[in-house]
Amino acid sequence: MSRWQPNARERLAEAALELYGERGFEQTTVAGIAGRAGLTERTFFRHYTDKREVLFAGARDLEELFVRAVAGAPASAAPIDALAAGLEAVAEAFAGRRAFARRRQAVIAANAELQERELVKLASLAAALAGALRGRGVGEPAASLTAEAGVAVFKIGFERWIGADEERDMAPLLRESLAELRAVAAGG
Amino acid sequence: MSRWQPNARERLAEAALELYGERGFEQTTVAGIAGRAGLTERTFFRHYTDKREVLFAGARDLEELFVRAVAGAPASAAPIDALAAGLEAVAEAFAGRRAFARRRQAVIAANAELQERELVKLASLAAALAGALRGRGVGEPAASLTAEAGVAVFKIGFERWIGADEERDMAPLLRESLAELRAVAAGG
DNA sequence: GTGTCGATGTCAGTCACTGACATCGACAGT
DNA sequence: ACTGTCGATGTCAGTGACTGACATCGACAC
């Protein structure tokens, strides 16, 4: 039998989300998070580089998934269609996680430092998408513009999904947002 | 005669820029900045909310200037032309400050935390510009898209200005960047 | 001459984050 | 079974960003 309870990392993330939600981000101490997870403060910092990052660990997975789907789209697909493929993959990954996403987004919305970190993650996502598009042979500035647009579509679709009825899936919301972008770009 | 030397705020900003440049942002302590300015750490935090903000105090002025110029453009001007008026005002405000801007940008480029803060300031600028455009009667999402585009143009033009010969003025560089954006948007 | 005010100083405290070193089950090799 | 390594965690002692409470003392108004 193991010396430690398993899933320390996940326990820390859950404890952090709970406490940030109950008391707010600033009123929560890292020692408090670690305590609730049955660990010490030092161990928290072995799993997460700082107090904010515990909410953004999933961003790396999302980025990889999104990028892989864009890169793996048929070679014949136009940039915007490769982007659409990425958005489909993202929607799939969020299936069944709306309650969690809502809790997390409410916490972020309540604190400026967390919003700051979210901007960084979105910028990182845009850069990664632009790289994937360039890897498909898309030139600049089209790659970067498409990537930025993709992030914008994701943001808007995500917000709508968070606010939607329990029944709405994310995929159609992302498709609608992408369609709106196309309309605007076409001079709507 | 006054009890204190004047311009405490400016002395702190200059001392911070010097030290961030000499030793790097992380290797610099707030006590060190305050000491070089002939003040105490506590006084630093009365003038700037945190160690990063001392480099971004000018961002508020820039935002106000930009917004005022956009809002004050002729009512007949199209959104993109109001934006162009704002860019002209910005270029004027930077005249003669390239050496300072270079020093500052080099410091920011060397540290991730400072880049994070810069993203926040640019997001704030975009939001303010979108508000100014809506005040001109521009609807959504055109206002937000125009504002985001304006920030992008500013960023690119600013980078080119930083890297340009001493003789290049900022205004023509911003005009060129805006022209490129128009070309891309037109389907170039 | 007196009183208020504002910018600064002083001091004590909290907490995010780090480095160095100790602990002890798991597991591999023998 | 015996032993040595390893990896996740704990322990402890810092450093430094940031805050609250209170003191100081020129300037300025009355």
Side-chain angles (χ1 to χ4, degrees), chain B residues 62 65 89-98 100-101 154 158 161 170:
Chain B
L62 176 70
L65 177 78
V90 166
E92 197 175 332
F94 275 101
R97 320 187 98 241
R98 176 163 27 206
F100 168 81
F154 168 68
F158 181 78
W161 180 64
M170 196 182 202

Side-chain angles (χ1 to χ4, degrees), chain A residues 93-155:
Chain A
F94 274 101
R97 321 188 94 239
R98 176 163 25 206
F100 168 81
R102 265 194 190 140
R103 279 208 296 158
R104 178 177 170 282
Q105 216 59 22
V107 166
I108 292 173
N111 182 271
E113 286 180 70
L114 293 172
Q115 291 160 40
E116 195 167 343
R117 180 59 53 88
E118 191 170 39
L119 284 178
V120 171
K121 298 299 179 182
L122 291 173
S124 166
L125 176 60
L129 288 175
L133 289 166
R134 283 193 302 270
R136 295 177 57 83
V138 180
E140 287 292 3
S144 289
L145 288 170
T146 305
E148 294 287 348
V151 170
V153 167
F154 168 68
K155 268 175 62 178

Side-chain angles (χ1 to χ4, degrees), chain A:
Chain A
M1 141 173 169
S2 183
R3 189 175 172 197
W4 317 105
Q5 299 292 324
N7 303 322
R9 192 179 169 83
E10 286 68 29
R11 271 153 48 215
L12 286 167
E14 175 58 23
L17 184 55
E18 286 172 14
L19 287 170
Y20 292 169
E22 292 168 14
R23 314 181 186 167
F25 176 77
E26 289 188 1
Q27 277 41 261
T28 301
T29 67
V30 174
I33 297 168
R36 180 170 294 206
L39 295 163
T40 63
E41 188 183 10
R42 192 67 184 86
T43 295
F44 177 95
F45 287 109
R46 288 203 178 92
H47 285 281
Y48 299 102
T49 59
D50 63 48
K51 193 185 166 188
R52 293 182 243 175
E53 199 64 19
V54 65
L55 283 184
F56 295 93
R60 173 149 217 103
D61 299 334
L62 176 70
E63 185 175 309
E64 282 177 19
L65 177 79
F66 204 155
V67 162
R68 214 185 329 264
V70 167
S76 61
I80 195 84
D81 295 318
L83 185 66
L87 290 168
E88 294 293 332
V90 165
E92 199 175 332
F94 274 101
R97 321 188 94 239
R98 176 163 25 206
F100 168 81
R102 265 194 190 140
R103 279 208 296 158
R104 178 177 170 282
Q105 216 59 22
V107 166
I108 292 173
N111 182 271
E113 286 180 70
L114 293 172
Q115 291 160 40
E116 195 167 343
R117 180 59 53 88
E118 191 170 39
L119 284 178
V120 171
K121 298 299 179 182
L122 291 173
S124 166
L125 176 60
L129 288 175
L133 289 166
R134 283 193 302 270
R136 295 177 57 83
V138 180
E140 287 292 3
S144 289
L145 288 170
T146 305
E148 294 287 348
V151 170
V153 167
F154 168 68
K155 268 175 62 178
I156 291 173
F158 181 79
E159 280 166 19
R160 290 187 183 166
W161 180 64
I162 289 288
D165 293 339
E166 293 299 331
E167 292 76 20
R168 284 307 294 271
D169 273 348
M170 195 181 204
L173 290 166
L174 288 181
R175 283 185 212 119
E176 283 172 23
S177 296
L178 182 58
E180 284 178 30
L181 176 78
R182 287 185 203 259
V184 169

Side-chain angles (χ1 to χ4, degrees), chain B residues 13-65:
Chain B
E14 174 58 24
L17 185 55
E18 286 172 13
L19 287 170
Y20 293 168
E22 292 169 13
R23 314 179 185 169
F25 177 76
E26 289 189 1
Q27 277 41 260
T28 301
T29 67
V30 173
I33 297 168
R36 181 170 295 206
L39 296 163
T40 63
E41 187 183 9
R42 192 67 184 87
T43 296
F44 177 95
F45 286 109
R46 288 203 179 93
H47 285 280
Y48 299 102
T49 59
D50 63 47
K51 193 185 164 187
R52 292 182 244 174
E53 198 64 18
V54 65
L55 283 185
F56 295 92
R60 173 150 217 105
D61 299 333
L62 176 70
E63 185 175 307
E64 282 177 21
L65 177 78

